[in-house]
Amino acid sequence: MSPPKKDRKIQPIPVNSYPPKVNEIGSAEFTRTIAQALHKEFGDTHAAVKTVVALTRANERAVKNWFSAKNGPTGRHLVDLVRTSDEVLEAVLRMSGRSDLIVAKKLGESKRTLLKMLRLIGELQS
């Protein structure tokens, strides 16, 4: 059955008519950034790949592709990586334009470290 002749014709919106996104990140940049964070956090050995496989329960071949920046992790695996790796968390925050949260995270860590050091100094003086 063919559509009636009086049917509305919907014209597609040309791709160039959408406003450009500011700081848009491409998939190549995403995979490269995640790979750099993985190398920085876990190292360059086969043991690093095995560690990430254990943390994310992802296929070993997929994790090797993450390390070599051929592919990036899927959403579920990215969440697992963010949960366990500060480097990946910071990379995701930088890519999303939320550097302010990186500063807040580092301030919190610094405060905990300073309080721990002050506690140790107090114990040594007693």
Side-chain angles (χ1 to χ4, degrees):
M1 181 175 188
S2 61
K5 291 185 179 187
K6 290 190 176 186
D7 225 9
R8 291 190 320 160
K9 293 181 181 176
I10 299 174
Q11 297 292 323
I13 299 172
V15 175
N16 295 340
S17 69
Y18 290 112
K21 291 184 180 179
V22 179
N23 297 331
E24 186 174 320
I25 183 165
S27 62
E29 186 180 348
F30 171 77
T31 57
R32 194 171 40 256
T33 303
I34 294 298
Q36 289 170 349
L38 288 171
H39 285 287
K40 195 171 180 183
E41 179 82 23
F42 298 103
D44 297 328
T45 64
H46 185 68
V49 172
K50 292 284 192 183
T51 301
V52 173
V53 166
L55 292 172
T56 61
R57 290 180 226 96
N59 184 292
E60 186 174 343
R61 179 78 253 158
V63 174
K64 286 180 182 179
N65 287 337
W66 302 344
F67 271 85
S68 64
K70 290 181 182 173
N71 293 323
T74 60
R76 180 177 70 86
H77 294 123
L78 184 60
V79 170
D80 289 339
L81 287 171
V82 165
R83 185 180 298 126
T84 57
S85 168
D86 287 340
E87 291 297 328
V88 175
L89 172 62
E90 289 180 18
V92 169
L93 289 173
R94 257 186 267 106
M95 285 187 286
S96 62
R98 300 302 307 263
S99 297
D100 55 325
L101 294 176
I102 296 172
V103 172
K105 177 184 162 294
K106 287 187 178 185
L107 280 173
E109 291 171 356
S110 298
K111 182 179 177 182
R112 280 190 294 278
T113 303
L114 181 59
L115 289 173
K116 187 177 179 181
M117 289 172 57
L118 289 172
R119 215 175 303 118
L120 286 171
I121 290 171
E123 289 173 7
L124 290 173
Q125 288 179 339
S126 306

